[in-house]
Amino acid sequence: MNHYHSIAIDGPSGAGKSTMARALAQEMGYLYVDTGAIYRTVGLAVYRRGADPTDPVAVEQVLGQVDITMGYGKDGTQRMYLDGEDVSKAIREHIMSRYASQVAALPPVRAFLLEKQRHLAENHNVIMDGRDIGTVVLPQADVKIFLTADPKARAQRRYLELLERGQQADLEQILADVVERDRQDMERPIAPLKKAEDAQVVDTTGKDLEESRKVLRETIAKALGQEEEA
Ligand code: DC
């Protein structure tokens, strides 16, 4: 029997999952697991070996040859390692979003991650964010949240983020990328992005980070409280 609590947060990219889940995990003393970062590391391994990210045989071969591990830095942030090299920064490059989304559609990649993710939840209190945590990875999670916002709001946030970093950005292009990635993640046959039947929807459209965090915190506290009473 699992004595640890798990909180599953799923939703499309740009809804604020990782920022908020990380902060909440810190407040609650839970381990924060960013599962997208693991898919991104697989994507990077495939990219570096020049393999086709849509070819399941080639990708499975790469998986058998590399060592992908994760750890936590002194500041508590999740770090990803590929054959011992810290690739936490490299996996955030723009092209890795596409590679991650493509390899994430392949059965061998999902099977590879499933075990890692469940193992973490069996040994820690976790807040895990991703696309299929409440539906596939942790169907028995204590709390399931589907965190979303409309595509325009998500594109606008990403746009402001890039401008703040001094990078050039084109809002129309970012919106097109957001819509395309939603489509890829929702339409794949295995473990698509979708709300678990028993997940609670938190919509952050029109809410800033502080307001969104407040709603998320209240939703989780209520769900955990109700569960303890039951
Ligand atoms: O959350 P992110 O943008 O870093 O995720 C990168 C890609 O990985 C995303 O396009 C879909 C995929 N992914 C997934 O299929 N399942 C998850 N649990 C997490 C991410």
Side-chain angles (χ1 to χ4, degrees):
M1 196 183 144
N2 191 353
H3 298 289
Y4 292 101
H5 284 299
S6 50
I7 299 173
I9 303 187
D10 292 301
S13 61
K17 294 190 301 293
S18 51
T19 313
M20 289 198 279
R22 190 183 306 118
L24 276 174
Q26 207 165 24
E27 275 175 32
M28 297 172 70
Y30 278 36
L31 187 72
Y32 166 59
V33 184
D34 170 359
T35 64
I38 317 177
Y39 287 98
R40 285 171 180 272
T41 307
V42 175
L44 180 68
V46 167
Y47 173 77
R48 285 190 174 170
R49 284 173 184 243
D52 175 356
T54 63
D55 176 349
V57 176
V59 170
E60 191 167 14
Q61 215 169 22
V62 172
L63 279 181
Q65 295 164 350
V66 297
D67 183 32
I68 292 177
T69 51
M70 53 182 278
Y72 290 84
K74 284 201 187 91
D75 57 356
T77 55
Q78 179 178 321
R79 316 296 301 176
M80 292 305 310
Y81 300 92
L82 176 58
D83 294 327
E85 175 194 344
D86 186 340
V87 293
S88 311
K89 203 165 161 219
I91 59 171
R92 296 295 155 198
E93 277 172 28
H94 189 60
I95 190 173
M96 283 312 134
S97 301
R98 179 166 63 78
Y99 265 74
S101 186
Q102 285 174 323
V103 297
L106 305 177
V109 175
R110 302 219 73 89
F112 172 80
L113 261 91
L114 194 60
E115 224 178 290
K116 275 188 188 291
Q117 296 167 117
R118 285 192 178 152
H119 183 76
L120 285 166
E122 277 159 17
N123 294 286
H124 304 271
N125 288 319
V126 292
I127 295 190
M128 208 174 266
D129 94 42
R131 305 292 190 284
D132 63 335
I133 309 305
T135 51
V136 177
V137 180
L138 305 175
Q140 312 296 339
D142 299 281
V143 185
K144 295 183 189 179
I145 306 282
F146 192 79
L147 191 72
T148 190
D150 77 33
K152 275 197 183 141
R154 290 185 280 127
Q156 178 75 21
R157 282 179 200 155
R158 177 91 187 119
Y159 173 71
L160 293 176
E161 233 173 68
L162 290 171
L163 291 189
E164 265 170 33
R165 279 195 234 147
Q167 294 181 17
Q168 286 215 328
D170 173 350
L171 186 55
E172 287 305 307
Q173 183 56 48
I174 293 173
L175 179 59
D177 287 349
V178 162
V179 170
E180 171 56 16
R181 201 133 76 89
D182 283 359
R183 192 194 60 72
Q184 255 180 28
D185 293 343
M186 289 190 294
E187 290 183 3
R188 66 172 176 233
I190 55 162
L193 166 64
K194 80 167 189 240
K195 182 184 110 47
E197 269 179 28
D198 50 351
Q200 312 199 42
V201 177
V202 174
D203 189 325
T204 64
T205 308
K207 292 189 176 65
D208 66 19
L209 196 60
E210 207 31 64
E211 290 167 323
S212 306
R213 198 144 65 188
K214 186 165 176 279
V215 178
L216 187 62
R217 195 188 286 124
E218 283 168 3
T219 310
I220 290 174
K222 206 168 146 200
L224 284 174
Q226 280 168 351
E227 185 220 88
E228 275 155 21
E229 277 164 25

